[in-house]
Amino acid sequence: MLRIENLTKRYGDKAAVDHLSLHIQPGEIYGFIGHNGAGKTTTLKSVAGILPYDEGEIYIHDISVKLSPIEAKKIMAYIPDNPDLYDFMTGVQFLNFVADVFGVSQADRESRILKYGNMFELTEKLSDPISSYSHGMQQKLAVMSALIHDPKLILMDEPFVGLDPMAAHLLKQTMREICDNGGAIFFSTHVLEVAEKLCDKVAIIKDGKLIRSGTMEEVKGDASLEDVFLELEAEKD
Amino acid sequence: MLKALLRKQLYEVRYFYLGGGRKNKKNMPKNPKGMYVLFIFLYLIIMVSMFFASMGIGSALIPAGLDWLYFTVMNILAFLLGIIGSVMSTAQALFRSKDNELLLAMPIPPSRIVFVRMITVYLMSFIYASVIMIPAIVYYFIAGDVTFLSVVFCILSMFIMSFLITAFSCFAGWLVSLIATKLKNQKIVLVLLGVLLIGVIYYFQFNASRLIQSVIANAQEIAGALRGWGYPLYAPGLGMTGQVVGFLVFLGITAVLFGIAYYAVTKSFSRIALYKAAEKKTEFHNTDIRSSKLSDALFRREMKRFMASVSYMMNAGLGLLFLAAVGVLAIIKMQDIRMIIASIGAQFPYADSIAVVVGVCLTGLLAGLCLMASCSISMEGKYVWVYQSLPIDPYQIFRAKLALHVVLTGVPTLFSILVFGIVLKVSIPAFLCMIVFAGMYILLSASFGLMLDLKKPKLNWTNENQALKSNVTVFVDMLLGMLVPCVICAVYLLLAPVMGPELYLVIWIAIFAVLTLLIHKWLAGRGRAIFSAL
């Protein structure tokens, strides 16, 4: 589903991501953890086709993000850590806009908007301006807009920040459901307990370099993910 | 604390104009010096033209011993220009910065925040005021009876005048913002207030040359009348000739007005800055879910972005008002225009042909004031990630932005040209040429503006003014957009005896088409890549 080969992104002389390689299979929820500034967001943005990278390649369903960014974006969705949605639109206008961009049929968009709107208890508010939404509501709307075209791959940067416990629970369920239906999710998080419970695989990044990746069991063994993470952080220092 | 706030303001200016420092080379303009050189060059050109204007007024007043009246006229002009330049953006600069909550959450008295922001307004006022006052003072130093006190007071008066402009701008910005918090349809009211204000200012501006001529012609009578009742009005002028009392009165009035404005803004700063209008709640219906074509969705999105911001509408869309107004004015003055052309035609055989070119170039000049495209990339600001993350070819986005510009500008332009066609009794071929010429010019200036904005976008603004007003691309686009029709007009004055207006316009249409194609080639290639990497 997602193949990252030797991804390198530099800001000036500093490599924010340094020869990172990662493969994600359909059906997998892949967690991406690391300290602040480790290169998680840079990696996710590069995969999303937002950030041009210096070396390496990224393939989504064998489509190169560098060579065919539009085709690659058609089958994925990206939710940033702090989504700045169009606050000059209402919720439903934004969803219509995103659905129009992806060419989602009237029937499909109706069923998905109502399904996820009801799930996240946002349906009632969809005709209100986004400027009146709380941070959590905007996060829910961003999730809804990401799901509206039934993407094969979803990239999420800290998706649980700002969500209430119920919404976070529903999002976790939805993530599982998407992957059970053959999709894949690549998300970053600082909440190691969530990663431990939710992810099939996990990758740990430090200073732009991938220091460990694999199934949850391979990465943490008998210890907790938190212990392993802290140990790895200390080791390299 | 004040130092820290001033430093923060300087960082903001530095970041905005020079990028994020050495480590953030991505945001660093490749050639910031070039931008400064261009700015200074344009500034000097305006100053030189103002020097000749000062000479015209001063040569009539100074030798007659009315140097104080000369300064009064120049001060009024500087004041009006300063107000035009800063009043529309003052409310935004004072109250609608993105860091309001951050600053108010800290133990900083609002008065300090206001003070620092008023300094920003002051700098803008100074730039506008000095462009008139420096040439006026220089001319006085050449032609007037200069004393040590007049030199000192002239220089100081330039700084004091900028304080006076700042006081008025801040007061107007405060009043408009305060009214807006009390009203339901804020945007409509703000736009109407803005239009009203612009109407008043431009009324004076358009009548300025007539008023100046009248002042020159009736200098003694006006001087006598002013001496009777208008002391506060001419005190600054007196001061600049070296009179101590006049200077002190000017200083005192300015200090009081600045103090009042500062007090008013400070008193209600928190309330206005943190004010959030109650959003209208609308019930959701399934019928709100509607699909449309991608091009329509993009166009609608661009339109919503434009209509969502009063500053965007007022700063970038001002030309739309003028375009409509010139059409209406041509209808009202139809007989006068025909008479003028007939009387010129009696002495100059090509007056009808020239009128066609002047008419279409006038609409072109006003269309050059429409700047929707030249700040449309910068106005994306924090939203740019949405477009970038979606599977949309950037060129489609450019087309939507250009479509918005062309549609909004095209409607009033068409109206004006239709009116000119009727008023000037233009032949059908000439009329068609006028329409195509205007349409192509609008497309070219929009495409050029978009290209400039793509080359030097300002995405990290803290208030919209930075993208709308402190944006070199907007300035350059506006200047060229107005200059090109003037050049086209001037050239035709020479060519009228050998070429009909139709052929002349067709030649320009061809030139515009070629230039537009070249720009679109760039947009479709390099432009795409730049947008993706923003």
Side-chain angles (χ1 to χ4, degrees):
Chain A
M1 176 69 76
L2 168 64
R3 243 177 339 120
I4 304 173
E5 310 276 10
N6 273 317
L7 175 69
T8 301
K9 169 72 189 172
R10 292 189 192 90
Y11 292 111
D13 299 333
K14 186 184 181 296
V17 179
D18 194 358
H19 294 93
L20 184 141
S21 296
L22 207 67
H23 293 192
I24 299 178
Q25 303 297 328
E28 283 179 352
I29 299 180
Y30 212 119
F32 198 32
I33 57 178
H35 58 81
N36 292 332
K40 302 187 293 297
T41 299
T42 301
T43 306
L44 284 168
K45 280 188 172 176
S46 300
V47 176
I50 293 176
L51 208 58
Y53 41 93
D54 301 304
E55 284 173 42
E57 250 307 0
I58 300 169
Y59 298 97
I60 294 158
H61 253 315
D62 293 328
I63 300 168
S64 160
V65 170
K66 194 177 260 177
L67 299 176
S68 312
I70 306 282
E71 291 310 307
K73 286 176 191 177
K74 278 182 184 168
I75 52 172
M76 67 172 156
Y78 168 67
I79 305 169
D81 53 348
N82 192 11
D84 283 309
L85 306 178
Y86 296 151
D87 50 20
F88 49 88
M89 286 185 176
T90 64
V92 70
Q93 283 170 345
F94 182 71
L95 293 174
N96 273 328
F97 171 72
V98 175
D100 286 337
V101 169
F102 281 100
V104 180
S105 71
Q106 178 70 22
D108 284 347
R109 78 174 65 187
E110 252 184 64
S111 72
R112 284 173 200 152
I113 288 175
L114 293 176
K115 176 185 167 187
Y116 295 118
N118 291 335
M119 181 192 279
F120 291 118
E121 295 177 334
L122 205 62
T123 309
E124 297 282 291
K125 305 274 182 194
L126 281 178
S127 286
D128 292 344
I130 294 175
S131 55
S132 69
Y133 284 17
S134 67
H135 178 75
M137 284 160 76
Q138 289 205 30
Q139 188 77 2
K140 288 177 187 175
L141 190 70
V143 172
M144 282 177 71
S145 71
L147 300 175
I148 204 159
H149 65 288
D150 194 20
K152 300 276 172 256
L153 172 70
I154 303 179
L155 310 166
M156 298 172 163
D157 199 353
E158 296 288 349
F160 302 104
V161 173
L163 289 183
D164 57 59
M166 178 56 86
H169 172 72
L170 289 167
L171 179 60
K172 282 182 243 170
Q173 266 187 353
T174 309
M175 288 165 77
R176 190 73 270 165
E177 198 181 295
I178 289 164
C179 292
D180 288 347
N181 290 329
I185 289 170
F186 183 35
F187 79 104
S188 73
T189 185
H190 286 298
V191 190
L192 300 181
E193 292 81 3
V194 170
E196 198 166 351
K197 281 183 190 162
L198 190 64
C199 298
D200 303 304
K201 287 186 178 169
V202 68
I204 300 174
I205 183 172
K206 188 181 177 190
D207 297 331
K209 288 187 175 135
L210 197 66
I211 51 174
R212 191 170 289 190
S213 66
T215 63
M216 192 55 77
E217 289 70 32
E218 284 168 352
V219 170
K220 72 180 181 77
D222 293 330
S224 72
L225 187 59
E226 188 178 16
D227 290 339
V228 174
F229 178 73
L230 293 175
E231 194 181 310
L232 286 170
E233 284 287 308
E235 245 176 46
K236 296 282 169 179
D237 290 335
Chain B
M1 183 189 291
L2 197 60
K3 242 189 208 171
L5 277 172
L6 280 168
R7 208 178 302 126
K8 171 247 151 201
Q9 203 74 14
L10 281 176
Y11 284 149
E12 198 175 302
V13 171
R14 182 173 171 272
Y15 181 83
F16 196 68
Y17 288 101
L18 295 171
R22 274 182 211 163
K23 284 184 181 173
N24 194 354
K25 288 187 178 163
K26 190 187 157 199
N27 290 324
M28 189 78 100
K30 276 181 192 159
N31 188 8
K33 274 185 197 161
M35 276 162 55
Y36 291 129
V37 169
L38 179 70
F39 181 77
I40 291 166
F41 176 69
L42 294 171
Y43 195 71
L44 286 176
I45 285 180
I46 300 169
M47 271 199 181
V48 169
S49 66
M50 286 318 301
F51 179 78
F52 287 110
S54 305
M55 198 188 277
I57 301 165
S59 60
L61 298 178
I62 297 172
L66 296 173
D67 36 7
W68 60 271
L69 188 58
Y70 162 74
F71 277 126
T72 303
V73 172
M74 298 315 289
N75 283 342
I76 290 172
L77 287 179
F79 179 79
L80 281 177
L81 185 73
I83 292 286
I84 291 172
S86 59
V87 73
M88 292 305 298
S89 51
T90 303
Q92 184 83 29
L94 287 177
F95 299 110
R96 294 185 208 120
S97 279
K98 281 201 281 190
D99 57 358
N100 278 340
E101 287 185 22
L102 178 74
L103 294 178
L104 285 169
M106 292 186 213
I108 306 171
S111 57
R112 304 286 170 90
I113 303 170
V114 170
F115 182 75
V116 171
R117 287 186 184 175
M118 279 176 90
I119 286 177
T120 315
V121 179
Y122 177 83
L123 289 176
M124 198 182 280
S125 306
F126 183 79
I127 289 172
Y128 283 105
S130 62
V131 86
I132 288 183
M133 291 190 77
I134 290 177
I137 290 169
V138 169
Y139 179 72
Y140 180 72
F141 288 171
I142 296 167
D145 196 6
V146 183
T147 61
F148 173 73
L149 273 184
S150 69
V151 171
V152 173
F153 289 170
C154 273
I155 293 166
L156 290 177
S157 292
M158 199 164 61
F159 294 97
I160 298 170
M161 177 57 75
S162 307
F163 271 110
L164 190 68
I165 295 166
T166 306
F168 270 85
S169 287
C170 289
F171 193 77
W174 167 78
L175 200 64
V176 167
S177 303
L178 193 70
I179 291 170
T181 61
K182 312 267 179 206
L183 297 165
K184 276 185 183 171
N185 296 318
Q186 270 193 49
K187 267 177 210 152
I188 297 169
V189 174
L190 286 177
V191 169
L192 287 177
L193 276 173
V195 169
L196 189 73
L197 185 72
I198 287 163
V200 172
I201 289 169
Y202 277 90
Y203 175 78
F204 284 110
Q205 190 82 350
F206 285 132
N207 288 300
S209 68
R210 195 169 51 81
L211 289 171
I212 289 168
Q213 291 307 322
S214 154
V215 169
I216 292 169
N218 309 296
Q220 295 297 344
E221 290 88 334
I222 290 170
L226 269 179
R227 279 200 188 97
W229 54 267
Y231 187 73
L233 204 66
Y234 74 86
L238 274 179
M240 290 173 83
T241 61
Q243 204 214 57
V244 178
V245 179
F247 176 77
L248 290 177
V249 168
F250 179 36
L251 184 66
I253 290 173
T254 305
V256 169
L257 291 176
F258 189 83
I260 292 171
Y262 178 63
Y263 177 78
V265 175
T266 303
K267 195 81 184 151
S268 46
F269 176 74
S270 304
R271 190 153 54 92
I272 297 174
L274 300 177
Y275 175 78
K276 206 177 170 200
E279 300 282 1
K280 197 175 145 197
K281 301 281 172 195
T282 314
E283 203 178 324
F284 172 73
H285 301 287
N286 287 6
T287 48
D288 293 338
I289 304 172
R290 277 189 294 263
S291 57
S292 53
K293 279 191 339 197
L294 174 61
S295 55
D296 294 345
L298 292 174
F299 181 79
R300 217 170 25 245
R301 183 262 178 218
E302 290 301 323
M303 182 65 93
K304 279 187 176 298
R305 178 71 188 97
F306 179 67
M307 301 294 281
S309 162
V310 175
S311 296
Y312 197 178
M313 282 191 278
M314 294 307 300
N315 284 295
L318 196 61
L320 303 176
L321 272 177
F322 292 145
L323 276 167
V326 82
V328 174
L329 200 70
I331 294 173
I332 296 168
K333 300 275 182 187
M334 188 187 290
Q335 295 308 326
D336 294 345
I337 295 170
R338 281 179 179 165
M339 271 170 59
I340 292 167
I341 292 170
S343 66
I344 296 172
Q347 295 159 359
F348 192 69
Y350 309 106
D352 288 340
S353 301
I354 290 171
V356 171
V357 176
V358 169
V360 75
C361 283
L362 178 64
T363 52
L365 185 143
L366 296 175
L369 284 173
C370 300
L371 304 161
M372 284 77 77
S374 55
C375 54
S376 60
I377 302 289
S378 296
M379 286 300 286
E380 287 296 325
K382 61 182 181 175
Y383 304 125
V384 76
W385 75 271
V386 179
Y387 267 152
Q388 287 178 325
S389 67
L390 292 173
I392 316 171
D393 180 349
Y395 190 61
Q396 278 179 301
I397 298 167
F398 303 157
R399 285 211 314 241
K401 290 182 184 299
L402 293 176
L404 178 84
H405 185 111
V406 171
V407 168
L408 286 178
T409 315
V411 174
T413 302
L414 195 63
F415 165 71
S416 292
I417 289 191
L418 197 70
V419 171
F420 280 131
I422 294 166
V423 172
L424 303 174
K425 294 181 183 164
V426 171
S427 68
I428 302 234
F431 179 65
L432 291 175
C433 286
M434 285 170 85
I435 290 178
V436 179
F437 174 93
M440 279 307 299
Y441 185 64
I442 291 169
L443 182 61
L444 172 63
S445 67
S447 307
F448 179 70
L450 186 69
M451 181 179 78
L452 286 183
D453 201 23
L454 259 173
K455 277 174 161 277
K456 294 204 178 297
K458 304 267 186 195
L459 294 167
N460 297 322
W461 37 265
T462 42
N463 74 60
E464 286 180 343
N465 280 339
Q466 292 166 335
L468 291 165
K469 298 202 80 164
S470 315
N471 194 341
V472 175
T473 62
V474 173
F475 185 59
V476 172
D477 188 38
M478 184 175 71
L479 209 72
L480 282 176
M482 291 167 71
L483 195 69
V484 169
C486 293
V487 171
I488 292 172
C489 217
V491 171
Y492 190 65
L493 290 176
L494 302 172
L495 294 179
V498 293
M499 197 184 282
E502 296 88 350
L503 179 60
Y504 185 68
L505 292 181
V506 166
I507 291 170
W508 278 107
I509 289 167
I511 294 169
F512 292 164
V514 170
L515 291 174
T516 307
L517 276 173
L518 288 174
I519 293 173
H520 276 254
K521 206 170 165 223
W522 185 90
L523 288 173
R526 183 98 186 92
R528 265 192 182 115
I530 292 175
F531 185 83
S532 302
L534 283 176

